[in-house]
Amino acid sequence: MAADGNNGASAGSQVDVVVVGAGFSGLYLLHRLRAEGFSVRVFEAASDVGGTWFWNRYPGARCDIPTTDYTFGFDPELERAWTWSEKYATQPEILRYLQFVTDRYDLRRDITFDARVEGAEWDDKTGLWAVRTSTGETVSCRYYVMATGCLSVPKAPDIEGAPRFAGEVYFTSRWPHEGVDLTGKRVAVVGTGSSGIQSIPLIAQQAAQLTVFQRTPNFSIPAHNGPASADRLGRLAADRDAYRTAGKWSRGGVPMEATDILGGTASEDVRRERFEAAWEAGELFAILGVFADQGVDPASNEIVSEMIREKIRSIVDDPETAEALCPKDHYFGTKRPCLDSGYYATFNSPHVRLVDLRSTPITTITEAGIDTAAESFEFDVIVYATGFDAMTGALVGVDVTGRAGVTLKEKWADGPSTYLGLTTVGFPNFFALTGPGSPSVLSNMAVSIEQHVDWVTDCLVDLRAKGMTRIEPTPLAEDGWNQHVADCAAISLHPTANSWYMGANVPGKPRVFYPYIGGVDNYRAVCDEVRAKDYLGFRLSAPEAEQCHDGVIRRLQPDVAMVLDAMAQMELPPLESMSPPEARAFMEMSNGARPPGPDVGEVVDGVLPGPAGELEYRLFRPGSPGPHPVVLYFHGGGWVLGDQVSDEPLCRDLCVRTEAVVVSVNYRHAPEARYPAAAEDAWAALQWVAAHAIELGGIPDDLVVAGWSAGANLVAVVTQRARDEGGPVVRGQLMLTPVTDSAMKTRSYQENADGYVLTAPLMRWFWDHYCDPAQRAEPTATPLRGRLDGLPPAIVVTAEFDPLRDEGIAYAEALRAAGVPVEHLAARGHTHTSLTMVGVVLSGARVREEIALRLGALLREPVEV
């Protein structure tokens, strides 16, 4: 269908909004903005609508999200008016659909085709963008929106001699619209990403000879294409609104029930059953969700990866070819998995050959074909399936100049920096739909596009209602969002792969994780919250007015937030509402469901003498030959809860990371044994462990005292006493989120009073059970009030969302002021308990690794005599 004759020329030289791109996002944005009364011009480089689906016409091009979901959902009548023919629609059908949408809503009259935007410049005086096009037209607008897509700028092949080839050359990303007849020809395909995997089976049907040059094997599963899923169609028919809402609030933008089954703990039968069901379903999110932990746990991921490799070996007849097709250099899902229609079976055809470029790399392209390190090939046709400059290529490819003459390309030279993946500091009234820092390519793009368009449109409506004419994110909000995006990626396996998600396919491109992996549901909640908080993190202004609610929208580590959300949904009674025996039973039950922590060489239980009877301990010994340094550990629990095994995962982690013997010692608890019973027991434990270091497998005088929470309080108490009594020798002290003061009046007690597991009321409950108010000023209860000079070096760890944060900081500062060497680790985004949740809160591992590095340095320093 051709563009009509109007081609948008009547819209004028100044409009409210200029939109670049007429694909899914540009079309829907035009529809929404026009309905809200904004004047809009859309510029499209192609001769018709479609965006990616206009350009990508290679054989086999299809969507990889079921068409029940890869479709506009904003209008029920549109859904009733269009019926998809297949589970996964081909490029021609998707293009016809977008043309149908364009004509149904009369969108062409505001679109200028065959007009590439070459530059846009912000004028701070007028508050307008000047947008220049390839047709010589310049249009002024209040708001400038790039709807250019994530996969729209082809990546040129970085292969020596590529221009020399004298035969036919085609790119999957710019396939001739009239098609290509490959019948009887010798064809080379370079690249085995999505476009290569989709096109190779169809190219093989025509070519007399097909040679596939593979640098990196990719995971692919069969699409099992055909009619749309009866189950999905049934759910849509039964309650369309509920189905669409479920998609909007799902992790990937497609309604699915998330599993809680872990790959590492599931039985082999369950593993196989879940995998086979996902393989037969032929859907990306099904195979990506076989296990709840496959995206974060290497062992769980390897189970799925090996099952896919088994399938490849069972399909491909030649063992050598099959093994070359098996991906082994990246975790499944960390590169875009593919859906195929007979891809692996294609290599069983006698005229199809695979060349593994890992073993025989291409040395050059010649006039006649391709030379590798092993042989020369002659071809009639070379097809490059080399992909795109993803996520940012289209955005920085246009000369977008913001305030102070800084271009977007210059600002993003070291990697993209955005707020919500939509906006960026220094570029007022500028929006990038599905940009870096948004779910985009990790989601059903149709759902993510609608969410972005709706948010931007609502934003412009809100600005108009407020009488504001400019919007720009603040540096604080942008930095906070960048950190949150990085935090989400860091707890996954994705950054380990050299993928286009990381910019690794383009030489010289900054290596960062570009999309937001936190999920469509979480992202939607963030955007809704920003708007509900009157545009938190944005500065809104007009000539005589300004509004700025500055702040960071997500400060908690993402996995910490998930744990807190899960606990909130359980509606557990607060611990302070229980009696101590009830609280102990509850904690014991809770601890029974947690991961055990890493394996250690040996675990030994024993007892040591205390002032009022024997004290139990559990010893964790490394697997390496000893003797080892010794860490005496005191557990947390507010002097009321816990025992020598209650912090076992943390002790195991500490043992493995430091190669030290960790001795976790129990002590008497309140209210049965109130202050100073715990302190007296801790002192007895220090003396005994120091005296028996050799028989424990330790090195004499190579001892650190460590503890968490109330246990860290005991660390401070016993190290002060060891100084005063002339020994034992203590190399250092590790205090993890310590209790150091009984006043409970710091700012962190107010900021973090509730909602982060350890609450201000619970801390008062602990103190009331442990120590009379009249005794709390004693240094053996409140070590911050003790004499601090002459103490061993200290590592003090505080958590951002902890009532005890400020007293931990105060103790570190007081130690430093007293001349004690101190290293203070501030655990950003963590709570009082999250650092101890080994195997649950993965982001805590980075902090524990830093603790172990610094602790290891203390343990291996020479003793000063």
Side-chain angles (χ1 to χ4, degrees):
M1 184 179 295
D4 63 24
N6 188 307
N7 209 28
S10 64
S13 60
Q14 181 170 332
V15 291
D16 295 323
V17 187
V18 163
V19 178
V20 185
F24 266 91
S25 53
L27 294 175
Y28 181 45
L29 182 60
L30 171 58
H31 174 67
R32 277 290 327 263
L33 289 173
R34 210 162 63 180
E36 295 293 347
F38 293 97
S39 58
V40 188
R41 289 284 301 276
V42 177
F43 291 99
E44 170 56 59
S47 59
D48 201 358
V49 299
T52 292
W53 298 109
F54 176 88
W55 296 108
N56 285 290
R57 303 179 183 224
Y58 59 85
R62 294 178 184 269
C63 58
D64 59 5
I65 297 293
T67 48
T68 48
D69 304 278
Y70 192 73
T71 188
F72 284 125
F74 65 86
D75 184 355
E77 293 302 319
L78 172 62
E79 291 196 67
R80 283 188 277 271
W82 181 273
T83 300
W84 294 100
S85 66
E86 294 182 273
K87 174 184 176 184
Y88 296 112
T90 61
Q91 175 272 333
E93 185 175 14
I94 298 172
L95 181 57
R96 288 196 301 272
Y97 171 71
L98 292 174
Q99 291 167 337
F100 175 81
V101 170
T102 302
D103 295 334
R104 181 180 179 88
Y105 299 104
D106 187 25
L107 301 179
R108 292 183 184 276
R109 59 185 168 89
D110 292 318
I111 305 173
T112 302
F113 296 102
D114 298 309
R116 183 178 300 278
V117 170
E118 295 182 337
E121 186 171 355
W122 171 256
D123 187 329
D124 212 37
K125 292 181 180 179
T126 64
L128 298 174
W129 284 93
V131 181
R132 306 185 314 276
T133 74
S134 58
T135 63
E137 185 179 8
T138 298
V139 178
S140 296
C141 59
R142 179 73 62 193
Y143 304 103
Y144 176 55
V145 185
M146 295 191 75
T148 45
C150 300
L151 299 171
S152 54
V153 175
K155 173 185 171 290
D158 52 340
I159 303 174
E160 169 68 28
R164 291 205 299 266
F165 182 62
E168 301 171 53
V169 176
Y170 302 104
F171 293 83
T172 53
S173 54
R174 289 293 183 266
W175 200 259
H177 290 193
E178 65 275 13
V180 176
D181 185 5
L182 300 174
T183 303
K185 295 181 179 178
R186 299 167 299 171
V187 181
V189 174
V190 180
T192 52
S194 293
S195 61
I197 285 175
Q198 285 186 331
S199 63
I200 283 167
L202 293 180
I203 292 174
Q205 291 176 12
Q206 288 190 358
Q209 172 189 316
L210 173 60
T211 306
V212 176
F213 292 86
Q214 171 191 273
R215 181 159 49 190
T216 305
N218 208 349
F219 287 102
S220 187
I221 66 168
H224 300 304
N225 200 29
S229 163
D231 173 64
R232 291 193 182 277
L233 290 176
R235 291 165 65 189
L236 264 172
D239 192 336
R240 174 200 171 277
D241 290 344
Y243 185 88
R244 293 294 176 221
T245 299
K248 291 176 180 179
W249 290 99
S250 66
R251 184 165 182 82
V254 175
M256 282 193 65
E257 289 189 18
T259 182
D260 59 359
I261 294 175
L262 305 179
T265 57
S267 68
E268 181 59 30
D269 288 346
V270 169
R271 292 172 179 172
R272 182 62 61 179
E273 179 184 0
R274 288 192 58 78
F275 173 79
E276 292 294 343
W279 183 266
E280 289 305 313
E283 295 183 11
L284 283 182
F285 291 122
I287 199 73
L288 289 168
V290 175
F291 305 124
D293 57 344
Q294 70 186 63
V296 297
D297 178 32
S300 178
N301 190 283
E302 176 58 22
I303 294 168
V304 178
S305 298
E306 183 56 27
M307 287 181 174
I308 297 175
R309 290 191 285 261
E310 289 174 3
K311 291 288 188 182
I312 297 170
R313 296 176 186 122
S314 71
I315 295 169
V316 180
D317 295 338
D318 178 59
E320 185 176 343
T321 301
E323 211 56 39
L325 288 165
C326 287
K328 297 171 186 173
D329 68 338
H330 64 280
Y331 297 110
F332 173 66
T334 57
K335 292 187 175 184
R336 180 76 171 190
C338 303
L339 293 176
D340 70 81
S341 298
Y343 172 67
Y344 293 116
T346 299
F347 291 94
N348 293 330
S349 300
H351 69 295
V352 178
R353 177 182 174 185
L354 179 72
V355 175
D356 182 3
L357 299 181
R358 295 283 180 89
S359 57
T360 57
I362 293 175
T363 56
T364 189
I365 306 292
T366 68
E367 291 80 359
I370 297 175
D371 286 355
T372 71
E375 60 185 301
S376 296
F377 298 84
E378 292 188 356
F379 297 109
D380 303 306
V381 179
I382 296 179
V383 175
Y384 291 108
T386 47
F388 299 88
D389 183 352
M391 301 294 294
T392 58
L395 297 173
V396 300
V398 174
D399 184 17
V400 181
T401 305
R403 282 190 289 104
V406 176
T407 67
L408 191 62
K409 185 175 184 178
E410 290 169 341
K411 183 184 174 182
W412 288 3
D414 297 323
S417 178
T418 73
Y419 184 36
L420 307 181
L422 279 165
T423 62
T424 188
V425 172
F427 295 78
N429 294 358
F430 170 80
F431 301 90
L433 299 187
T434 62
S438 76
S440 58
V441 294
L442 296 178
S443 69
N444 172 9
M445 289 291 286
V447 166
S448 288
I449 284 168
E450 284 196 0
Q451 184 273 333
H452 263 194
V453 167
D454 288 340
W455 194 92
V456 169
T457 304
D458 291 343
C459 172
L460 299 193
V461 170
D462 291 344
L463 290 174
R464 184 173 61 190
K466 289 173 175 286
M468 298 292 186
T469 58
R470 299 188 189 189
I471 183 169
E472 182 182 350
T474 68
L476 176 64
E478 183 169 301
D479 289 345
W481 184 251
N482 291 336
Q483 187 64 67
H484 177 62
V485 171
D487 286 342
C488 289
I491 61 175
S492 77
L493 298 174
H494 275 75
T496 64
N498 289 321
S499 68
W500 56 260
Y501 296 146
M502 294 288 295
N505 67 321
V506 178
K509 191 169 183 177
R511 297 293 182 92
V512 296
F513 193 71
Y514 285 73
Y516 175 65
I517 203 172
V520 168
D521 48 356
N522 291 326
Y523 179 80
R524 182 181 295 273
V526 164
C527 292
D528 288 352
E529 187 177 336
V530 166
R531 187 177 178 222
K533 290 183 175 179
D534 207 6
Y535 293 94
L536 175 69
F538 283 101
R539 175 168 283 102
L540 282 54
S541 62
E544 297 182 358
E546 184 172 294
Q547 168 194 309
C548 183
H549 301 300
D550 206 357
V552 174
I553 187 63
R554 286 291 180 268
R555 291 166 55 201
L556 279 166
Q557 290 287 341
D559 47 358
V560 174
M562 286 190 288
V563 169
L564 293 177
D565 288 344
M567 293 178 68
Q569 291 174 14
M570 294 169 69
E571 298 182 343
L572 302 171
L575 279 177
E576 63 268 24
S577 68
M578 305 179 188
S579 68
E582 290 171 336
R584 289 167 189 158
F586 176 81
M587 293 305 298
E588 186 174 353
M589 179 186 67
S590 299
N591 288 343
R594 68 188 176 183
D599 292 335
V600 297
E602 186 180 17
V603 177
V604 178
D605 289 325
V607 295
L608 58 85
E614 291 182 334
L615 302 175
E616 294 177 296
Y617 69 81
R618 175 162 287 184
L619 179 147
F620 305 89
R621 187 172 289 129
S624 57
H628 302 92
V630 178
V631 174
L632 169 60
Y633 178 83
F634 298 124
H635 67 81
W639 311 282
V640 177
L641 311 175
D643 55 29
Q644 74 279 5
V645 300
S646 58
D647 295 351
E648 178 160 343
L650 178 63
C651 291
R652 286 174 171 268
D653 190 81
L654 198 61
C655 173
V656 169
R657 292 183 187 277
T658 62
E659 284 285 299
V661 171
V662 177
V663 186
S664 175
V665 181
N666 198 15
Y667 47 86
R668 287 172 289 165
H669 296 94
E672 296 85 353
R674 290 170 63 84
Y675 168 84
E680 293 296 333
D681 287 353
W683 173 243
L686 173 59
Q687 292 178 297
W688 187 87
V689 168
H692 294 80
I694 293 176
E695 62 191 79
L696 294 173
I699 303 169
D701 296 335
D702 203 3
L703 170 66
V704 162
V705 187
W708 168 53
S709 191
N713 170 278
L714 299 179
V715 169
V717 168
V718 299
T719 51
Q720 290 183 26
R721 186 167 178 178
R723 173 205 57 201
D724 295 341
E725 299 197 15
V729 173
V730 176
R731 277 193 179 269
Q733 47 185 325
L734 167 61
M735 289 170 281
L736 188 64
T737 59
V739 184
T740 67
D741 193 1
S742 57
M744 295 180 281
K745 293 180 180 179
T746 60
R747 188 180 67 176
S748 60
Y749 259 93
Q750 299 169 4
E751 292 178 350
N752 306 316
D754 194 21
Y756 303 113
V757 183
L758 178 65
T759 65
L762 178 57
M763 201 62 222
R764 294 187 186 96
W765 185 82
F766 284 140
W767 272 112
D768 289 343
H769 281 303
Y770 177 56
C771 188
D772 294 335
Q775 298 174 303
R776 293 179 191 176
E778 295 294 326
T780 45
T782 296
L784 182 59
R785 304 185 190 185
R787 183 169 67 86
L788 302 183
D789 60 290
L791 293 175
I795 302 168
V796 180
V797 183
T798 58
E800 183 177 2
F801 296 94
D802 181 1
L804 305 182
R805 179 195 68 208
D806 290 350
E807 63 192 71
I809 294 172
Y811 196 70
E813 291 175 346
L815 286 171
R816 190 174 290 114
V820 178
V822 176
E823 297 201 59
H824 172 218
L825 297 180
R828 179 184 51 79
H830 281 280
T831 65
H832 183 78
T833 57
S834 62
L835 295 176
T836 68
M837 301 179 75
V838 177
V840 176
V841 174
L842 302 183
S843 59
R846 299 193 297 271
V847 182
R848 293 193 301 275
E849 178 63 24
E850 188 65 28
I851 292 169
L853 288 172
R854 302 188 187 203
L855 189 57
L858 284 182
L859 287 167
R860 290 159 182 83
E861 287 291 324
V863 178
E864 293 186 10
V865 180

